Amino acid sequence: MAKLGFRMITPTGAIERAMQRNLSIMANAATGAMNQAATNIKKEGRTDIVSGGFSRRFANSFRANVYPKSGVSVGAAALIFDTVKYFDIFETGGTVHGKPMLWLPLPSAPKKIGRQRMTPALYVKQIGPLFPINRVGKAPLLAANIGISARQRATGNIGKITNAKLRKGAAGAGPKQAVPLFVGVDDVTLKKRFNLRRITAAHAAKLGAYFAENLKDD
Protein backbone atom coordinates (compact mmCIF):
# COMPACT_ATOMS: atom_id res chain seq x y z
CA MET A 1 0.00 0.00 0.00
CA ALA A 2 1.32 3.38 -0.94
CA LYS A 3 2.13 5.72 1.91
CA LEU A 4 -0.26 8.58 2.35
CA GLY A 5 0.43 11.80 4.19
CA PHE A 6 -1.76 14.71 5.10
CA ARG A 7 -1.71 17.82 7.17
CA MET A 8 -4.13 20.47 8.32
CA ILE A 9 -3.61 23.92 6.98
CA THR A 10 -5.19 26.72 8.97
CA PRO A 11 -5.21 30.42 8.23
CA THR A 12 -2.37 32.25 9.89
CA GLY A 13 -3.22 33.04 13.52
CA ALA A 14 -6.51 31.07 13.54
CA ILE A 15 -5.48 28.72 16.37
CA GLU A 16 -4.14 31.61 18.42
CA ARG A 17 -7.38 33.55 17.94
CA ALA A 18 -9.48 30.52 18.90
CA MET A 19 -7.42 29.96 22.03
CA GLN A 20 -7.65 33.61 22.97
CA ARG A 21 -11.42 33.55 22.49
CA ASN A 22 -11.76 30.51 24.75
CA LEU A 23 -9.50 32.12 27.32
CA SER A 24 -11.65 35.26 27.27
CA ILE A 25 -14.83 33.19 27.77
CA MET A 26 -13.23 31.38 30.71
CA ALA A 27 -11.96 34.62 32.26
CA ASN A 28 -15.41 36.23 32.02
CA ALA A 29 -17.02 33.18 33.60
CA ALA A 30 -14.46 32.97 36.42
CA THR A 31 -14.73 36.66 37.25
CA GLY A 32 -18.53 36.58 37.03
CA ALA A 33 -18.65 33.56 39.34
CA MET A 34 -16.40 35.26 41.89
CA ASN A 35 -18.49 38.44 41.79
CA GLN A 36 -21.66 36.41 42.27
CA ALA A 37 -20.23 34.54 45.26
CA ALA A 38 -18.83 37.72 46.85
CA THR A 39 -22.11 39.59 46.43
CA ASN A 40 -24.10 36.75 48.01
CA ILE A 41 -21.63 36.37 50.89
CA LYS A 42 -21.75 40.09 51.67
CA LYS A 43 -25.55 40.29 51.47
CA GLU A 44 -26.23 37.19 53.57
CA GLY A 45 -23.41 38.01 56.00
CA ARG A 46 -24.72 41.50 56.72
CA THR A 47 -28.23 40.13 57.24
CA ASP A 48 -26.82 37.56 59.66
CA ILE A 49 -24.99 40.27 61.61
CA VAL A 50 -28.13 42.40 61.98
CA SER A 51 -30.05 39.27 63.06
CA GLY A 52 -27.45 38.87 65.81
CA GLY A 53 -28.53 42.18 67.32
CA PHE A 54 -26.01 44.55 65.74
CA SER A 55 -26.68 47.81 63.92
CA ARG A 56 -26.79 48.17 60.14
CA ARG A 57 -23.74 50.40 60.35
CA PHE A 58 -21.79 47.68 62.17
CA ALA A 59 -22.97 45.12 59.59
CA ASN A 60 -21.75 47.33 56.75
CA SER A 61 -18.19 46.92 58.02
CA PHE A 62 -18.34 43.37 56.61
CA ARG A 63 -16.81 43.57 53.11
CA ALA A 64 -16.09 41.41 50.07
CA ASN A 65 -13.57 42.59 47.47
CA VAL A 66 -13.09 40.83 44.13
CA TYR A 67 -9.78 40.83 42.28
CA PRO A 68 -8.80 41.93 39.74
CA LYS A 69 -10.58 45.20 40.55
CA SER A 70 -10.93 45.93 36.83
CA GLY A 71 -11.08 43.60 33.87
CA VAL A 72 -11.41 39.82 34.03
CA SER A 73 -9.12 36.90 34.86
CA VAL A 74 -9.24 33.11 34.98
CA GLY A 75 -7.52 33.50 38.36
CA ALA A 76 -10.19 35.77 39.86
CA ALA A 77 -10.22 35.81 43.66
CA ALA A 78 -12.22 37.31 46.52
CA LEU A 79 -11.12 38.70 49.88
CA ILE A 80 -13.73 38.54 52.66
CA PHE A 81 -12.90 40.78 55.62
CA ASP A 82 -14.15 43.25 58.19
CA THR A 83 -12.89 46.69 59.18
CA VAL A 84 -13.66 46.33 62.93
CA LYS A 85 -10.63 44.88 64.76
CA TYR A 86 -12.65 43.07 67.46
CA PHE A 87 -15.14 41.66 64.97
CA ASP A 88 -13.94 38.04 65.07
CA ILE A 89 -14.86 37.47 68.73
CA PHE A 90 -18.55 37.61 67.77
CA GLU A 91 -17.97 34.91 65.15
CA THR A 92 -16.32 32.50 67.55
CA GLY A 93 -17.42 33.61 71.01
CA GLY A 94 -14.89 33.67 73.84
CA THR A 95 -13.48 35.58 76.78
CA VAL A 96 -11.80 38.99 76.47
CA HIS A 97 -9.31 39.78 79.26
CA GLY A 98 -8.49 43.26 80.47
CA LYS A 99 -5.00 44.78 80.49
CA PRO A 100 -5.32 44.95 83.48
CA MET A 101 -9.06 45.79 83.38
CA LEU A 102 -11.83 46.31 80.88
CA TRP A 103 -13.83 49.51 81.38
CA LEU A 104 -17.45 49.17 80.32
CA PRO A 105 -19.85 52.13 79.99
CA LEU A 106 -22.62 52.14 82.59
CA PRO A 107 -26.23 52.20 81.30
CA SER A 108 -26.60 55.80 82.51
CA ALA A 109 -23.59 57.03 80.49
CA PRO A 110 -23.96 58.41 76.95
CA LYS A 111 -23.44 55.61 74.44
CA LYS A 112 -21.44 57.70 71.97
CA ILE A 113 -19.38 60.83 71.62
CA GLY A 114 -20.26 62.12 68.18
CA ARG A 115 -20.37 59.01 66.00
CA GLN A 116 -17.83 57.03 68.05
CA ARG A 117 -18.54 54.48 70.76
CA MET A 118 -17.93 55.80 74.27
CA THR A 119 -14.62 54.64 75.79
CA PRO A 120 -12.48 56.09 78.60
CA ALA A 121 -9.72 57.07 76.17
CA LEU A 122 -12.17 58.84 73.85
CA TYR A 123 -13.83 60.58 76.80
CA VAL A 124 -10.53 61.98 78.08
CA LYS A 125 -9.57 63.08 74.57
CA GLN A 126 -12.90 64.66 73.63
CA ILE A 127 -14.42 65.90 76.90
CA GLY A 128 -12.20 65.89 79.98
CA PRO A 129 -10.60 64.01 82.86
CA LEU A 130 -11.88 60.92 84.61
CA PHE A 131 -11.12 59.91 88.19
CA PRO A 132 -11.38 56.52 89.94
CA ILE A 133 -13.86 55.53 92.62
CA ASN A 134 -12.57 52.48 94.49
CA ARG A 135 -15.19 50.46 96.37
CA VAL A 136 -14.32 47.79 98.90
CA GLY A 137 -15.51 44.40 97.69
CA LYS A 138 -17.02 45.88 94.53
CA ALA A 139 -15.88 46.67 91.01
CA PRO A 140 -14.09 50.04 90.66
CA LEU A 141 -15.65 52.93 88.77
CA LEU A 142 -14.41 55.78 86.60
CA ALA A 143 -16.29 59.01 87.17
CA ALA A 144 -16.44 62.55 85.83
CA ASN A 145 -17.95 65.83 86.89
CA ILE A 146 -21.28 66.84 85.40
CA GLY A 147 -22.50 70.42 85.24
CA ILE A 148 -25.78 70.95 87.10
CA SER A 149 -28.02 73.83 88.01
CA ALA A 150 -28.44 75.19 91.54
CA ARG A 151 -31.92 73.70 91.66
CA GLN A 152 -30.65 70.27 90.59
CA ARG A 153 -28.03 70.43 93.31
CA ALA A 154 -30.68 71.34 95.87
CA THR A 155 -33.11 68.59 94.84
CA GLY A 156 -30.49 65.95 94.04
CA ASN A 157 -32.22 65.23 90.71
CA ILE A 158 -29.57 65.80 88.04
CA GLY A 159 -31.64 64.40 85.18
CA LYS A 160 -30.19 62.55 82.21
CA ILE A 161 -26.41 62.47 81.83
CA THR A 162 -25.52 64.05 78.49
CA ASN A 163 -22.28 64.95 76.76
CA ALA A 164 -23.24 68.63 76.99
CA LYS A 165 -23.58 68.40 80.78
CA LEU A 166 -20.31 66.50 81.02
CA ARG A 167 -18.51 69.13 78.96
CA LYS A 168 -19.94 71.80 81.25
CA GLY A 169 -18.69 69.89 84.28
CA ALA A 170 -15.24 69.41 82.72
CA ALA A 171 -15.04 73.17 82.06
CA GLY A 172 -15.22 73.74 85.81
CA ALA A 173 -17.70 76.66 85.84
CA GLY A 174 -20.78 76.57 88.06
CA PRO A 175 -22.17 73.79 90.28
CA LYS A 176 -21.08 70.27 89.45
CA GLN A 177 -21.47 66.73 90.73
CA ALA A 178 -19.49 63.54 90.27
CA VAL A 179 -21.21 60.82 88.24
CA PRO A 180 -19.89 57.30 87.49
CA LEU A 181 -19.51 56.54 83.79
CA PHE A 182 -17.54 53.25 83.56
CA VAL A 183 -17.21 50.08 85.61
CA GLY A 184 -14.01 48.02 85.62
CA VAL A 185 -14.06 44.23 85.17
CA ASP A 186 -11.29 41.65 84.80
CA ASP A 187 -12.82 39.97 81.76
CA VAL A 188 -15.98 39.61 79.67
CA THR A 189 -17.31 36.42 78.09
CA LEU A 190 -19.10 36.98 74.79
CA LYS A 191 -21.42 34.58 73.01
CA LYS A 192 -21.18 33.60 69.34
CA ARG A 193 -23.47 36.02 67.52
CA PHE A 194 -23.12 35.30 63.80
CA ASN A 195 -22.00 32.65 61.27
CA LEU A 196 -19.95 34.36 58.59
CA ARG A 197 -17.49 31.51 58.05
CA ARG A 198 -20.34 29.09 57.38
CA ILE A 199 -21.93 31.53 54.91
CA THR A 200 -18.61 32.09 53.14
CA ALA A 201 -17.85 28.36 52.90
CA ALA A 202 -21.33 27.64 51.51
CA HIS A 203 -20.89 30.07 48.61
CA ALA A 204 -17.30 29.01 48.00
CA ALA A 205 -18.66 25.49 47.48
CA LYS A 206 -21.03 26.87 44.82
CA LEU A 207 -18.29 28.46 42.71
CA GLY A 208 -18.48 25.63 40.16
CA ALA A 209 -22.20 26.21 39.70
CA TYR A 210 -21.70 29.98 39.50
CA PHE A 211 -18.98 29.41 36.88
CA ALA A 212 -21.36 27.28 34.78
CA GLU A 213 -24.04 29.97 35.02
CA ASN A 214 -21.61 32.60 33.79
CA LEU A 215 -20.08 30.44 31.01
CA LYS A 216 -21.49 31.95 27.87
CA ASP A 217 -20.11 31.63 24.37
CA ASP A 218 -21.30 34.81 22.70
Side-chain angles (χ1 to χ4, degrees), residues 147-162:
I148 59 174
S149 66
R151 182 176 180 179
Q152 286 174 327
R153 181 170 61 181
T155 62
N157 182 11
I158 64 172
K160 183 179 180 181
I161 300 174
T162 65

Side-chain angles (χ1 to χ4, degrees), residues 92-106:
T92 61
T95 300
V96 180
H97 298 278
K99 298 179 181 180
M101 300 198 80
L102 294 171
W103 293 98
L104 308 178
L106 292 166

Side-chain angles (χ1 to χ4, degrees), residues 122-182:
L122 182 64
Y123 184 91
V124 171
K125 180 179 179 181
Q126 296 286 343
I127 295 182
L130 293 164
F131 52 89
I133 298 177
N134 295 314
R135 307 180 296 168
V136 178
K138 295 183 179 180
L141 302 172
L142 286 178
N145 286 319
I146 188 171
I148 59 174
S149 66
R151 182 176 180 179
Q152 286 174 327
R153 181 170 61 181
T155 62
N157 182 11
I158 64 172
K160 183 179 180 181
I161 300 174
T162 65
N163 288 329
K165 289 181 180 179
L166 289 165
R167 286 191 174 93
K168 183 179 178 181
K176 55 184 179 291
Q177 179 174 317
V179 291
L181 297 178
F182 302 92

Side-chain angles (χ1 to χ4, degrees), residues 172-196:
K176 55 184 179 291
Q177 179 174 317
V179 291
L181 297 178
F182 302 92
V183 61
V185 297
D186 294 324
D187 53 59
V188 174
T189 299
L190 301 171
K191 295 180 179 180
K192 177 180 174 66
R193 301 280 290 277
F194 38 69
N195 302 280
L196 304 180

Side-chain angles (χ1 to χ4, degrees), residues 49-106:
I49 293 167
V50 172
S51 297
F54 296 91
S55 68
R56 176 58 63 181
R57 183 182 176 200
F58 186 86
N60 287 346
S61 64
F62 182 58
R63 311 286 176 83
N65 289 350
V66 174
Y67 300 93
K69 289 188 175 182
S70 61
V72 296
S73 171
V74 292
L79 175 65
I80 311 300
F81 66 101
D82 194 273
T83 58
V84 177
K85 62 182 180 181
Y86 55 85
F87 194 88
D88 196 55
I89 189 67
F90 297 110
E91 170 73 22
T92 61
T95 300
V96 180
H97 298 278
K99 298 179 181 180
M101 300 198 80
L102 294 171
W103 293 98
L104 308 178
L106 292 166

